[in-house]
Structures are given as C-alpha cells and as structure tokens.
Amino acid sequence: GPEEVTGTFTVVPLPEASAVITPATGRQGEQVAVTITGSFTHFEASTTLLAPSGIMVEDLVRLSDTALTATLVIMDAADVGSTQLEVSTASWDETVLVGFEVTPGLPVVTLLPQSAAQATTGQLVQATGRFVSWTGATEVVPEAPCAVTVDDTVVAGAGQLSFLVDVPDFHAVGPCTLRFTDADPAKEAWAVLEITPTYDPVTIPDEIVDFLDAPHRYGVTLQAGEVLRARVVRDPWTTI
C-alpha cells in the first residue's frame, strides 16, 4: 500500500516591503523627475505618494507592482535637509517610506534694467535675488575687466536691493559681470549687466583702417599732440 510520509512544513513570510527613490536629492526651487523602485511591493493605480510640507507631488504614474514615477515640485521655502516620502497602497495595507534630501537652492540675481549705455551716469538698477540673504553689508562689485562704478547700494530686503551705476564713455561693449556679496559665502551671486554703445557702430572700410593705423605709409607725419581726423564716405557723411 501507499507509504505515509510525515514531516514539518514551515511557511516563511515575505520580506517586508521597501523602496528607494532615484534621484534622492533635489534643490529648493527645482522640479525633479523621480523613479521609485520597490521590493516586495504591490503598487496599484490607487497607490499614493505623500510628501512633507514644501514639496508637491505631480504626475504620479504606476509602471508596475514595483515601479512608480513622479515629479517632485520643491518650493523655494522647503526645509533643507533629510526628509521622507510615504508610498501607500491601501488595498494591501502597505506603506513604505523613502528617504529624500532637499539641498539649498542656487543663488540667482535678476537685474532691471538689464543693460546700460556707454557714458551713462547715475543709472538706477534694481536687483532681485533668490536664495540670497542680503544685508546692509552687501556690496555690488564689478568683476574685471568690467570698469563700471557702482554707488549708493540700498538693501530693501533679503532679496531686494538697488544701486546706481556709472559707465565710462569708452567702456567696452558687451557683458559686464557684477558680484553680489553675502554674509554666507555659499550665497554669493553674480549677474550680467550688458553694456551697449551710445551711438550706432560705424563700419570703416579696410583702407581707412590701414590709413589710421599707419598714416606714414601715405606720406602723413604726425607731430606730438596732433590729432588725425578722417572722414568715412557714407550716406550721409559720418565723421570719425
């Protein structure tokens, strides 16, 4: 007849559900696309992702039982440091926590207006800063080779200040970098003030440029203190 076999059978519970998030960091003021990868999870269309104050969750999508994607909108005022996001699937009575790190936002400065013309005196410029902590000791420093002069800096708030700028007559046209100092060196910021020409530029023919560069080639000799004047033929005539 059949043999009877006896023994012990042990039911081993599944490991506890867990998950990780990639990337696991984001800056204040950023939107971060993240992927949550679970182990022994049962993600469903009804699964929710909860974040702490200062972080909003958008576009949560279930890819599988063990994968979700979402966009985290990190507010400017979100607390810096480590926090946790909560992933919950009610039908399985399943909740897992994933660690996330909020890092300081990058300092940014916006100028209004964003340009100043050559030979400008006392032009008012207003600056708005994000992730800065300006005080009465904050300075606006032109970075070489920028040769503008900055005066009368007035700080109206942690992220608001104004100043007056003077631009020399023959300052180079192009970007002029200004540095905004901060009590916290990590919050120093830079902005670009575009220097524009006072007059429309004139295109000078090559032969005139050659003449101005070496007039002696054309039998012209300059004495000390003399000024060479030339006339470029245009319509109308333009004196240089």
Side-chain angles (χ1 to χ4, degrees):
E3 294 185 12
E4 185 176 311
V5 178
T6 60
T8 302
F9 182 77
T10 304
V11 177
V12 179
L14 285 174
E16 185 175 349
S18 62
V20 295
I21 187 169
T22 307
T25 63
R27 291 185 181 275
Q28 293 170 312
E30 285 187 341
Q31 294 188 22
V32 184
V34 298
T35 299
I36 296 173
T37 304
S39 296
F40 304 102
T41 52
H42 304 84
F43 299 152
E44 297 178 344
S46 61
T47 295
T48 60
L49 176 61
L50 300 179
S53 175
I55 301 177
M56 293 178 57
V57 178
E58 295 183 350
D59 303 325
L60 179 62
V61 176
R62 174 194 179 272
L63 301 181
S64 69
D65 287 355
T66 57
L68 300 169
T69 61
T71 298
L72 302 183
V73 181
I74 307 174
M75 305 299 182
D76 287 7
D79 291 336
V80 172
S82 298
T83 189
Q84 289 186 318
L85 310 180
E86 182 180 290
V87 187
S88 296
T89 305
S91 61
W92 286 85
D93 194 22
E94 178 182 275
T95 299
V96 296
L97 300 177
V98 292
F100 190 77
E101 180 86 10
V102 176
T103 57
L106 290 175
V108 177
V109 177
T110 303
L111 301 180
L112 186 67
Q114 297 179 335
S115 63
Q118 295 167 320
T120 293
T121 301
Q123 176 172 310
L124 177 65
V125 179
Q126 296 180 326
T128 301
R130 291 179 67 198
F131 309 116
V132 297
S133 53
W134 292 336
T135 67
T138 295
E139 297 180 356
V140 182
V141 182
E143 299 268 78
C146 179
V148 304
T149 302
V150 174
D151 293 308
D152 298 333
T153 300
V154 177
V155 177
Q160 296 286 334
L161 65 77
S162 63
F163 56 91
L164 301 180
V165 64
D166 296 341
V167 184
D169 291 6
F170 301 104
H171 194 290
V173 172
C176 177
T177 301
L178 305 176
R179 177 169 57 91
F180 293 74
T181 65
D182 201 292
D184 181 352
K187 293 185 178 181
E188 275 201 341
W190 287 260
V192 171
L193 183 70
E194 190 73 20
I195 306 301
T196 59
T198 303
Y199 305 104
D200 292 336
V202 175
T203 301
I204 303 175
D206 292 343
E207 60 271 19
I208 298 297
V209 173
D210 185 48
F211 177 75
L212 295 175
D213 180 56
H216 63 275
R217 297 178 185 172
Y218 298 84
V220 177
T221 303
L222 295 180
Q223 303 298 321
E226 287 186 329
V227 176
L228 176 64
R229 295 186 180 275
R231 187 176 291 274
V232 179
V233 178
R234 292 187 62 195
D235 184 16
W237 283 45
T238 302
T239 302
I240 62 171

